[in-house]
Amino acid sequence: MSVKIAVLGAGSWGTVLADLLANNGHDVKLWGNSAETAAEINDYHTNKHYLPEFKVSPKVEATLDLKATLADVQAILFVIPTAAMRIVAKQVAPILAETGAKPIIISATKGLEQNSHKRISQIINDEFPAELAEGLVIFSGPSHAEDVATHDITSLTVASQNIGDAEWVQSIFMNDYFRLYTNDDMVGVELGGALKNVIAIGAGILHGLGYGDNTKAALITRGLAEISRLGIEMGANPLTFMGLSGIGDLIVTCTSVHSRNWRCGNALGQGQKLDEVLANMGQVVEGVGTAKAAHELAEQHHVEMPISESIYRVLYEDANVEDEITKLMQRRGRREMDFQR
């Protein structure tokens, strides 16, 4: 079954997913906002700014024309930074309304909108009619684009309120190296995918400071505990955080040099200032914005998230990292399985 798909976002993840879908036999158009990148993909089948060694399938057509990209598609895959999600959704919705098209909407974006704290599904719900928004499928899990590009075996979660739509998305993506599992807990899948980026900054900081494996394991484990606390308070299924979009994504993002969030934290741990780090990255570091959203959500829902709070203070209040570590270690003793604290 060949499907016509629009992939919105020509960064590393969007490029790799467009390539995967094209190699699976689908008709893929890749939309972005850089004429230079589109020309490079079409003429040379590369996207060297994001993926220096990767060859993009010649079947992928890159374009700047959003209306042409969306023409007659059966699915739209959003792979853009959280900050741009609402902006692009506002451009897509009237084009679909004009044609009466009703494609499956898929999002591979992980993050929380600043100020509103809304998840991606809530942004889509705001900007699209109910018959489209209700079928949204969220795509999440441990998946660095660089590894998928080399066909490293990867397993992800696709979550939707409509499990039939999740199964359809599962069917068009799966192949010998890319396996998907379905889930109906969109809250948990989205929160896991967003909040792990904050903990990954912390993991990078610890590495930059020279801490060892024991420390990193403690951070990941206790980071998962506080992600779960907030998620449960917001209506998520606790078991979701034991899955690919929870502990799976947390492990890969906290341990890999491919993680922008880890690299950001590592540079901070080595003494660089945040503005300098972000200027040198050249890509969006979702965890920085998410740290602020997590801080505000924790206050709103009266949930203790001490690790995330420390990372927030380092990022936004220029707190001393070693002082924050001391504060965390000197907190009074707790029961490990007390999910209310």
Side-chain angles (χ1 to χ4, degrees), residues 66-330:
L66 184 58
K67 190 169 185 177
T69 304
L70 298 174
D72 302 319
V73 296
Q74 293 159 273
I76 301 171
L77 173 61
F78 285 87
V79 199
I80 55 179
T82 303
M85 191 69 192
R86 191 179 294 275
I87 296 168
V88 176
K90 284 180 180 294
Q91 297 175 52
V92 171
I95 295 173
L96 297 182
E98 181 182 329
T99 62
K102 295 182 180 179
I104 296 291
I105 306 295
I106 313 165
S107 172
T109 297
K110 301 173 183 178
L112 298 171
E113 188 176 41
Q114 292 298 292
N115 300 319
S116 76
H117 309 143
K118 288 187 175 182
R119 307 184 314 277
I120 300 303
S121 64
Q122 293 172 310
I123 296 172
I124 295 292
N125 191 65
D126 287 345
E127 303 300 335
F128 286 88
E131 62 266 26
L132 290 178
E134 288 172 358
L136 172 68
V137 178
I138 296 292
F139 199 89
S140 192
S143 51
H144 287 309
E146 295 84 353
D147 287 341
V148 178
T150 62
H151 295 189
D152 196 30
I153 290 175
T154 302
S155 290
L156 301 179
T157 298
V158 281
S160 179
Q161 293 175 335
N162 185 332
I163 205 67
D165 289 335
E167 290 171 347
W168 184 83
V169 172
Q170 181 184 47
S171 72
I172 65 173
F173 276 95
M174 280 181 50
N175 59 32
D176 289 345
Y177 64 91
F178 204 74
R179 181 173 178 80
L180 304 183
Y181 292 83
T182 60
N183 193 320
D184 61 3
D185 177 21
M186 295 180 70
V187 175
V189 167
E190 289 184 276
L191 287 177
L195 296 172
K196 54 88 182 178
N197 287 328
V198 181
I199 306 302
I201 291 175
I205 289 172
L206 293 178
H207 186 272
L209 289 168
Y211 284 93
D213 293 340
N214 290 1
T215 310
K216 295 166 192 172
L219 177 86
I220 292 171
T221 308
R222 296 311 302 166
L224 181 65
E226 61 186 52
I227 290 171
S228 301
R229 280 199 295 270
L230 181 60
I232 292 166
E233 185 66 26
M234 293 178 67
N237 181 342
L239 292 178
T240 295
F241 300 108
M242 299 298 108
L244 290 163
S245 59
I247 186 62
D249 210 359
L250 185 63
I251 289 170
V252 78
T253 313
C254 287
T255 60
S256 174
V257 295
H258 293 318
S259 166
R260 300 170 207 167
N261 298 283
W262 185 93
R263 296 202 309 271
C264 173
N266 185 53
L268 292 172
Q270 292 175 349
Q272 295 183 40
K273 293 296 184 182
L274 181 61
D275 290 346
E276 176 189 356
V277 173
L278 296 179
N280 290 335
M281 290 289 288
Q283 294 176 280
V284 174
V285 181
E286 290 280 7
V288 174
T290 305
K292 185 174 185 293
H295 162 73
E296 293 166 354
L297 282 170
E299 287 189 339
Q300 177 185 338
H301 290 278
H302 307 291
V303 173
E304 289 190 25
M305 300 180 70
I307 296 170
S308 298
E309 284 295 309
S310 283
I311 295 166
Y312 168 81
R313 287 192 290 269
V314 168
L315 296 176
Y316 288 93
E317 298 177 358
D318 201 27
N320 180 275
V321 173
E322 294 284 12
D323 288 346
E324 290 299 318
I325 293 171
T326 299
K327 289 177 187 176
L328 286 169
M329 294 305 295
Q330 291 182 351

Side-chain angles (χ1 to χ4, degrees), residues 8-17 30-32 37 41 47 49-51 79-81 145 260 283:
L8 308 185
S12 56
W13 194 213
T15 300
V16 167
L17 290 177
L30 176 60
W31 175 84
T37 298
I41 291 171
N47 190 348
H49 176 72
Y50 293 102
L51 299 158
V79 199
I80 55 179
R260 300 170 207 167
Q283 294 176 280

Side-chain angles (χ1 to χ4, degrees), residues 1-3 5 17-28 57 59 169-178:
M1 175 187 69
S2 178
V3 173
I5 304 169
L17 290 177
D19 174 82
L20 181 151
L21 288 165
N23 286 327
N24 279 4
H26 304 301
D27 181 356
V28 181
S57 169
K59 298 175 185 176
V169 172
Q170 181 184 47
S171 72
I172 65 173
F173 276 95
M174 280 181 50
N175 59 32
D176 289 345
Y177 64 91
F178 204 74

